[in-house]
Amino acid sequence: MTLTISAVLLFGIASFVAIKTRSTGGGAAVLLFLFGFFTAGTGAYGPIHDLVASFARFLSQLGH
């Protein structure tokens, strides 16, 4: 069974948690940066989406 979650939903929840827990650091900054690009749909969306999708495929192949 495969579970598919929208990247916008995932980054939105993670951003909310990062803000509520007052996480400050590089990880939180990257998380909020990615959330902004996925929701904005700017011209940079394509390359950033491809990078995140490639990383997700890499992570999914680690378990095999």
Side-chain angles (χ1 to χ4, degrees), residues 7-27:
V8 172
L9 177 64
L10 182 65
F11 286 124
I13 291 170
S15 297
F16 178 78
V17 170
I19 291 170
K20 283 302 212 183
T21 60
R22 298 177 193 251
S23 297
T24 54

Side-chain angles (χ1 to χ4, degrees), residues 11-61:
F11 286 124
I13 291 170
S15 297
F16 178 78
V17 170
I19 291 170
K20 283 302 212 183
T21 60
R22 298 177 193 251
S23 297
T24 54
V30 170
L31 178 80
L32 293 172
F33 172 79
L34 289 172
F35 178 68
F37 269 102
F38 275 103
T39 56
T42 63
Y45 172 81
I48 292 172
H49 182 267
D50 293 343
L51 177 68
V52 172
S54 175
F55 186 68
R57 281 191 300 272
F58 167 74
L59 289 177
S60 70
Q61 294 299 320

